[in-house]
Amino acid sequence: MNVRSPLSLPADYPNSMMAFEDDIFISYTHIDNQPLTEGQKGWISHFHHCLKLRLAQLRGKEAKIWLDTRRISGNDYIEPSIVQRLPKVALLVSIFTPRYLQSEWCMRELREFCQAAQRMGGLRIGEKSRLFKVIKTPIEREQHPPETQDLLGYEFFQMDASGRPVEFDPIFGEEAEKRFLMRLYDVAYDAHRLLDTLSRPESQVAPDAVDGGAIAPPASDRPPIYLAETTSDLRDARDNIRRELQQRGYLVLPDEALPHSPDFSEAVITHLCRCRLSIHLVGRRYGIVPEGAEQSVVELQHTLATAHQRQNGDFDRLVWMPVGLEAEEARQQDFIQALQDQAELLQTGLEDFKTLIQDTLHSSRSGGNALQAEAHPPQVYLICDQRDQDDYEATLQPIEDYLWDQGYEVIPSVFDGDEAEIRRYHEGSLVDCDAVLIYYGAGSELWVQTKLKELRKASGLGRSHPFWAKAVYVSGESTPAKQRFRTREAEVINQFGDFSPSDLAPFVTQVNQAAAGRSQ
C-alpha cells in the first residue's frame, strides 16, 4: 500500500491565483488564425473570444486570457518577455496544427511553460494537466511533443464519410458552429475547475500528492467512472455523457490517451480497478484493433470489464446501443448479437440511458438499500384498444398468461369508469410500470402513434426512470398499415398467427436484465 506524503511545495510556488498574472496563455501560429474567407474572423480569434466569454460566465468575473498578436511566422524567435511571463500563467492552451508542431517558437513556448510548471509544484493537478491540448487539425499522436502524448486533448474536428477531417468552423454552417461551441464549453469548464483549485491557498489544498508532487484536488466520495472509448459515430453521445458526469462531480476515466499497442489491456485494467462502474457505447462500426490484439478497442474494453466484474461483486457495467442502429460490418454484427444473446445490451434513447446511469450510481452510493427495500415483481403495462379487450381470450390472454408465468405483474388496460378516471389510471400506470407492451390489433396506426407519444411524455407526468423495455406487438388482421409499421422508439414484434413465447423473448430479456441490474 502506497502512503502519500503531505504536500510540500517549493517556496516560490504561488499559493493563490493572486500570484498568477494571467489565467490562460493561448499558444498558436499566425497562419492558423488567417480566415479562409474575406470578412471572417480568424479561427484563433473566434476561439479566444468565445473562451473568454464562457469562462467569465462560469467564474462570475472576467477571465485574464493572454493572446500574443505580434507573431508573424512560425520561425520567429520567442521573445524574452514571453519566457519571463510564462511562469506566471496558470494554464497553457496549445492549438495543435501541422504548422504549430513545426514552429520553433511554439515548441519553445510549450517547453518553457512545462519547465516552469514543474519547478513550481508540478504540471498535473490531481487527474488534470495545466496544459490543454486543443487539436484544430488532426495529427498522428506519435508526432505530438513528448510532454503532450499522454493527454487526451480536445478535438475540434470530425471525420466525414470519406474519412476526411472537417474542422469545427462557423464557415461550414450551423452544425459545425454548434459542435465548436460544445467542445469549447468542455475546455472552458475544465479550465474553470482547474482555476478554482489553483485559487485556493495552500492550506486549503488537499494534503495529498501524486507522482511528481502535483497538487491533488479536494477528495470526493464519488468513485471514478470508466467511460469506454467508442467508435466515431457515437463520439457525440460519449462526450454528452462524460460532460454530464463531470458536472455532477465524477472523475471520468480514462483521463489520458489509451495506447493502441500491446499495453492497451494493461492500461484499461489499471483504470477499471479504480472504478465501480463502466459504461460501454456500441456503435455501427467495429472500430480499431490495437496492436497485438484480436478484438476491437470497443469489444476488448467490454471483455476486460466483464472479467473484472466477475472478480469484483460490487462492480457494475452498463452496455448501450441507440435504438434502431444497424451494424455496418459483419464483425460488429457478431459482437452485437453476442451482447443480445447474453441479455447485456440496452437499447433506449440517450436521455433514458443517462437517467439509468444516474439511477445505477445512486443505487451504488446508497448500497442498493433503497431499491432492495422497494423490491417488487417487474410490472408490465399491457396497453390495448377496447375492442381487443372485448375479445380477450383470443387476443390478450395468451400474452398475459405468459408474462405472469415469467414472474411479472401485468397492469391491464381499463375502460370502465368516467373519462377522467380512466385517464388518471393510464397516466399513473405509465409512471409506475417498469415496462410497456402495446398490443396493436384492433386499434389504428394513429392510435399506436398516440400511445408512443404518451410514452415520450411520461417523464412530464412524474416518471423518474427510463422504461426497462418498450415493445409494440403487431397482431390480429394483417393490413398494409400493419405490414409497413415500424418505429425506432420500441421493439416491433410482428405476429399475425397464433401466439408463441418466442415472440416476446427479446422483450423479456430486456426486462430481466434491467431487473437483475436493479437488484444488485
Side-chain angles (χ1 to χ4, degrees):
M1 175 176 168
N2 295 325
V3 179
R4 292 178 175 178
S5 58
L7 179 65
S8 177
L9 298 179
D12 62 346
Y13 187 82
N15 62 7
S16 75
M17 283 298 296
M18 297 300 293
F20 289 119
E21 294 180 356
D22 298 285
D23 296 330
I24 295 172
F25 172 51
I26 298 177
S27 177
Y28 71 102
T29 62
H30 175 76
I31 193 173
D32 293 316
N33 197 34
Q34 293 298 298
L36 296 177
T37 58
E38 188 175 352
Q40 287 280 90
K41 180 182 289 188
W43 194 94
I44 310 295
S45 298
H46 183 53
F47 177 91
H48 172 231
H49 169 78
C50 295
L51 179 61
K52 187 171 184 178
L53 179 60
R54 183 57 179 160
L55 200 52
Q57 292 171 342
L58 290 170
R59 294 180 60 74
K61 59 183 179 181
E62 184 178 0
K64 298 178 181 179
I65 301 181
W66 171 28
L67 185 73
D68 183 14
T69 59
R70 297 170 298 172
R71 59 194 63 206
I72 302 299
S73 72
N75 294 323
D76 289 346
Y77 288 103
I78 184 170
E79 294 193 8
S81 60
I82 295 180
V83 177
Q84 295 170 3
R85 194 169 174 179
L86 282 173
K88 294 189 177 182
V89 173
L91 310 176
L92 177 73
V93 173
S94 294
I95 311 296
F96 274 38
T97 65
R99 184 60 173 268
Y100 184 86
L101 299 187
Q102 296 169 15
S103 167
E104 186 65 28
W105 179 326
C106 295
M107 291 299 97
R108 176 91 183 275
E109 287 174 346
L110 189 150
R111 289 193 299 269
E112 290 287 345
F113 176 82
C114 292
Q115 292 169 8
Q118 293 294 354
R119 290 195 303 269
M120 301 171 65
L123 187 62
R124 290 180 66 89
I125 301 178
E127 307 293 341
K128 299 296 182 180
S129 171
R130 289 171 56 193
L131 171 60
F132 283 57
K133 183 169 65 174
V134 170
I135 308 173
K136 178 177 181 289
T137 310
I139 308 166
E140 292 295 330
R141 187 185 302 170
E142 292 74 17
Q143 299 178 27
H144 294 193
E147 300 90 338
T148 68
Q149 287 193 4
D150 289 338
L151 298 180
L152 284 175
Y154 303 82
E155 295 182 351
F156 279 73
F157 66 89
Q158 66 177 0
M159 297 298 183
D160 65 13
S162 64
R164 295 178 302 179
V166 179
E167 295 179 5
F168 298 158
D169 192 309
I171 67 171
F172 296 128
E174 292 184 5
E175 184 62 25
E177 173 71 351
K178 176 183 176 181
R179 291 175 181 272
F180 172 90
L181 292 174
M182 290 298 292
R183 198 55 49 85
L184 180 129
Y185 280 17
D186 290 341
V187 177
Y189 183 78
D190 289 347
H192 163 58
R193 295 283 300 273
L194 275 177
L195 291 171
D196 271 357
T197 300
L198 285 169
S199 68
R200 291 190 299 273
E202 180 184 339
S203 60
Q204 296 180 18
V205 176
D208 293 326
V210 298
D211 292 343
I215 309 170
S220 171
D221 62 344
R222 302 187 175 192
I225 298 170
Y226 188 89
L227 181 57
E229 285 190 0
T230 187
T231 46
S232 59
D233 55 311
L234 291 184
R235 183 172 297 169
D236 286 348
R238 184 180 186 276
D239 286 344
N240 192 315
I241 293 171
R242 175 185 53 77
R243 190 178 297 116
E244 188 164 308
L245 289 171
Q246 289 176 332
Q247 290 175 355
R248 291 176 180 269
Y250 290 95
L251 171 63
V252 179
L253 300 176
D255 58 343
E256 59 186 9
L258 293 175
H260 291 174
S261 67
D263 297 328
F264 180 86
S265 294
E266 182 180 352
V268 171
I269 293 171
T270 299
H271 289 305
L272 287 172
C273 288
R274 300 177 57 190
C275 302
R276 293 282 299 277
L277 171 69
S278 66
I279 301 170
H280 305 262
L281 310 185
V282 180
R284 59 173 53 92
R285 304 187 183 98
Y286 190 64
I288 298 171
V289 177
E291 181 183 346
E294 296 181 355
Q295 297 177 324
S296 72
V297 164
V298 177
E299 185 172 6
L300 185 52
Q301 288 174 106
H302 177 263
T303 299
L304 294 170
T306 302
H308 183 68
Q309 185 179 33
R310 293 195 188 103
Q311 299 172 3
N312 299 271
D314 58 351
F315 183 84
D316 288 320
R317 281 180 304 120
L318 292 176
V319 188
W320 175 80
M321 185 176 78
V323 176
L325 181 142
E326 296 182 1
E328 292 184 353
E329 305 166 54
R331 292 190 68 180
Q332 184 67 352
Q333 181 58 56
D334 291 343
F335 176 44
I336 292 173
Q337 187 62 54
L339 293 173
Q340 291 173 334
D341 292 344
Q342 298 163 19
E344 292 192 340
L345 190 60
L346 296 167
Q347 290 184 266
T348 67
L350 179 60
E351 293 304 314
D352 283 346
F353 181 57
K354 290 196 295 184
T355 301
L356 179 58
I357 291 172
Q358 294 305 321
D359 288 346
T360 302
L361 292 171
H362 175 74
S363 174
S364 176
R365 295 183 69 195
S366 63
N369 295 333
L371 291 172
Q372 292 171 8
E374 300 176 4
H376 58 75
Q379 299 183 24
V380 177
Y381 184 22
L382 181 55
I383 302 175
C384 69
D385 184 271
Q386 184 169 0
R387 287 168 292 177
D388 295 310
Q389 185 78 289
D390 293 341
D391 194 16
Y392 174 77
E393 290 186 1
T395 57
L396 301 173
Q397 185 171 1
I399 296 175
E400 279 198 25
D401 289 346
Y402 175 71
L403 294 175
W404 175 266
D405 291 341
Q406 303 308 305
Y408 302 163
E409 192 73 44
V410 180
I411 303 174
S413 295
V414 298
F415 302 98
D416 293 333
D418 63 41
E419 186 175 343
E421 289 177 332
I422 294 172
R423 169 56 56 182
R424 284 195 296 270
Y425 173 87
H426 174 63
E427 292 179 348
S429 298
L430 288 177
V431 171
D432 296 335
C433 72
D434 297 310
V436 171
L437 182 62
I438 300 173
Y439 185 87
Y440 182 9
S444 66
E445 184 175 4
L446 177 60
W447 175 84
V448 176
Q449 294 294 350
T450 299
K451 297 308 170 185
L452 289 171
K453 187 175 182 179
E454 290 169 352
L455 298 188
R456 294 196 295 270
K457 294 182 177 180
S459 60
L461 301 174
R463 186 176 181 86
S464 60
H465 57 283
F467 293 102
W468 290 0
K470 295 180 288 185
V472 178
Y473 190 95
V474 187
S475 189
E477 180 184 357
S478 178
T479 65
K482 290 180 180 179
Q483 291 285 358
R484 68 171 180 265
F485 176 77
R486 59 184 180 180
T487 178
R488 297 183 186 277
E489 298 187 56
E491 181 86 18
V492 177
I493 304 167
N494 291 300
Q495 176 54 274
F496 298 108
D498 294 335
F499 170 76
S500 171
S502 62
D503 299 338
L504 291 179
F507 178 81
V508 168
T509 295
Q510 290 186 53
V511 174
N512 289 344
Q513 177 191 4
R518 291 296 179 90
S519 65
Q520 290 178 355

